[in-house]
């Protein structure tokens, strides 16, 4: 069934990958699929799967799946935006779950042709979007009750937070990098922009959308009160010392007062079950600024 679907469903677009796909499909078909075998294409999806109690069914995860720590021992399929069809199929999945960050598009199209049950969750950068993500995955896996428990816990935590805008506006500059020579700042429309606004602060960069390379002119003009940076990016810069050595940063309020906050990527930007924890940590930091 799968082979005929590949041959007659527009596979000409992927003719160079046809031999690999056919071998993978044959392997997939020859294995008895008695047990659920889930491949997760996203770190937050993996976190939700553990929360739903289906971790024993996960056979593959992407490299952003490092929470909880048990996820680190599961076979890796590459990063969610640069996935390869053959790597995923080699794990003989019966269900594939990701978000609309999953790619490249050609890989996702190839997986759709194979007719393996697949859920691609739309990323909505809101608290309601985090709940919806859990709800959709729970429904896809027939774990609605477990999903309801997770959602109720998330809503209770968020409701208990007292997130208000600081009396004095806090301008936050989000930096992302893997090395001192490859640093980007977040404009609007990104997960960083969304979580900063939800926490009651302001994004220091509003002139452009998405990410752009850091320039000393832009950072001085932005005049952030604090730098927000993923922990792994701070490590890539060589720690706090490397952060303050970035061009122009010493001329900002954040640089002069040495104000920064490093947080785990998945916690900060995942918009998943721990979004309340992330907002609480951010809000407390803003309140501590003098």
């Amino acid at each position: 069934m799968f082979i005929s679907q590949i041959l007659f469903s527009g596979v000409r677009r992927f003719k160079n990958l046809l031999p690999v796909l056919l071998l993978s499909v044959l392997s997939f078909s020859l294995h008895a699929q008695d047990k659920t075998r889930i491949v997760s294409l996203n770190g937050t999806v993996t976190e939700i799967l553990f929360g739903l109690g289906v971790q024993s069914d996960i056979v593959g995860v992407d490299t952003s799946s490092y929470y909880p720590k048990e996820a680190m021992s599961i076979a890796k399929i590459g990063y969610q935006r640069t996935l390869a069809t053959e790597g995923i199929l080699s794990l003989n999945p019966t269900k594939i779950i990701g978000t609309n960050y999953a790619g490249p598009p050609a890989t996702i199209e190839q997986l759709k042709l194979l007719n393996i049950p697949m859920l691609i969750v739309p990323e909505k950068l809101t608290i309601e979007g985090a709940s919806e993500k859990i709800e959709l995955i729970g429904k896809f896996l027939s774990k609605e009750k477990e999903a309801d428990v997770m959602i109720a816990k998330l809503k209770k935590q968020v409701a208990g937070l007292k997130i208000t805008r600081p009396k004095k506006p806090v301008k936050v500059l989000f930096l992302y990098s893997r090395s001192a020579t490859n640093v980007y700042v977040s404009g609007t429309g990104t997960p960083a922009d969304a979580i900063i606004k939800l926490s009651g602060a302001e994004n220091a960069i509003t002139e452009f959308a998405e990410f752009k390379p850091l320039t000393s002119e832009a950072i001085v003009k932005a005049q952030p009160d604090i730098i927000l940076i993923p922990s792994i990016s701070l490590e890539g810069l060589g720690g706090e010392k490397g952060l303050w050595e970035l061009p122009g940063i010493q001329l900002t309020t954040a640089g002069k007062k040495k104000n920064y906050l490093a947080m785990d990527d998945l916690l900060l930007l995942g918009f998943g079950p721990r979004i309340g924890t992330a907002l609480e940590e951010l809000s407390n930091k803003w309140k501590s600024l003098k």
Side-chain angles (χ1 to χ4, degrees), residues 142-177:
S142 299
K143 293 288 181 181
E144 289 91 344
K145 290 184 179 178
E146 290 82 352
D148 288 344
V149 171
M150 289 184 71
I151 293 169
K153 183 178 178 181
L154 185 159
K155 289 183 176 178
K156 182 179 180 180
Q157 184 183 19
V158 172
L161 298 176
K162 295 181 180 179
I163 298 175
T164 57
R165 286 192 174 279
K167 293 180 180 178
K168 180 184 176 184
V170 175
K171 294 172 68 178
V172 182
L173 180 72
F174 180 81
L175 296 183
Y176 184 86
S177 75

Side-chain angles (χ1 to χ4, degrees), residues 186-203:
S186 170
T188 59
T190 68
D193 177 63
I195 198 78
I196 288 170
K197 292 175 179 173
L198 281 173
S199 68
E202 298 177 1
N203 188 352

Side-chain angles (χ1 to χ4, degrees), residues 4 23 38-39 70 86 137-138 171-172 174 177 191 234 266 284:
S4 63
L23 287 173
I38 303 172
V39 168
E70 289 81 3
E86 56 268 33
I137 295 173
K171 294 172 68 178
V172 182
F174 180 81
S177 75
L234 186 64
L266 204 55
N284 288 339

Side-chain angles (χ1 to χ4, degrees), residues 8-254:
F8 299 112
S9 301
V11 77
R12 289 176 181 174
R13 290 172 292 171
F14 312 116
K15 59 183 180 181
N16 293 333
L17 287 174
L18 186 57
V20 174
L21 281 171
L22 287 174
L23 287 173
S24 299
V25 171
L26 285 171
S27 174
F28 174 78
S29 300
L30 290 171
H31 284 74
Q33 300 297 312
D34 296 332
K35 183 180 181 301
T36 300
R37 297 174 61 85
I38 303 172
V39 168
S40 168
L41 311 182
N42 174 272
T44 300
V45 169
T46 302
E47 187 178 335
I48 292 171
L49 293 175
F50 272 79
L52 295 176
V54 297
Q55 58 268 30
S56 62
D57 294 335
I58 307 173
V59 296
V61 297
D62 92 308
T63 54
S64 70
S65 301
Y66 54 81
Y67 183 89
K69 63 180 182 180
E70 289 81 3
M72 296 289 288
S73 61
I74 301 174
K76 296 295 184 290
I77 55 168
Y79 181 54
Q80 60 177 333
R81 295 182 186 273
T82 56
L83 300 167
T85 307
E86 56 268 33
I88 295 171
L89 295 182
S90 69
L91 298 171
N92 301 310
T94 61
K95 295 181 185 295
I96 300 171
I97 309 175
T99 73
N100 57 305
Y101 292 153
T107 295
I108 303 304
E109 289 301 313
Q110 289 165 8
L111 292 172
K112 287 179 179 176
L113 290 174
L114 297 175
N115 214 27
I116 300 170
M118 181 165 64
L119 173 66
I120 298 297
V121 182
E123 281 285 3
K124 297 180 180 177
L125 304 178
T126 60
I127 295 169
E128 293 76 18
S131 296
E132 184 178 317
K133 194 182 298 179
I134 297 168
E135 182 181 10
L136 289 172
I137 295 173
K139 186 175 182 181
F140 183 66
L141 298 175
S142 299
K143 293 288 181 181
E144 289 91 344
K145 290 184 179 178
E146 290 82 352
D148 288 344
V149 171
M150 289 184 71
I151 293 169
K153 183 178 178 181
L154 185 159
K155 289 183 176 178
K156 182 179 180 180
Q157 184 183 19
V158 172
L161 298 176
K162 295 181 180 179
I163 298 175
T164 57
R165 286 192 174 279
K167 293 180 180 178
K168 180 184 176 184
V170 175
K171 294 172 68 178
V172 182
L173 180 72
F174 180 81
L175 296 183
Y176 184 86
S177 75
R178 286 292 183 264
S179 69
T181 58
N182 193 24
V183 183
Y184 292 83
V185 296
S186 170
T188 59
T190 68
D193 177 63
I195 198 78
I196 288 170
K197 292 175 179 173
L198 281 173
S199 68
E202 298 177 1
N203 188 352
I205 301 291
T206 56
E207 290 80 9
F208 55 82
E210 301 301 328
F211 285 86
K212 285 191 175 181
L214 172 76
T215 66
S216 57
E217 292 81 7
I219 197 170
V220 172
K221 183 181 178 182
Q223 277 299 317
D225 297 302
I226 185 168
I227 306 297
L228 179 62
I229 185 169
S231 301
I232 194 168
S233 291
L234 186 64
E235 291 175 13
L237 293 176
E240 185 179 348
K241 182 175 181 295
L243 173 63
W244 303 129
E245 290 177 348
L246 290 174
I249 207 163
Q250 290 288 356
L251 300 176
T252 67
T253 302

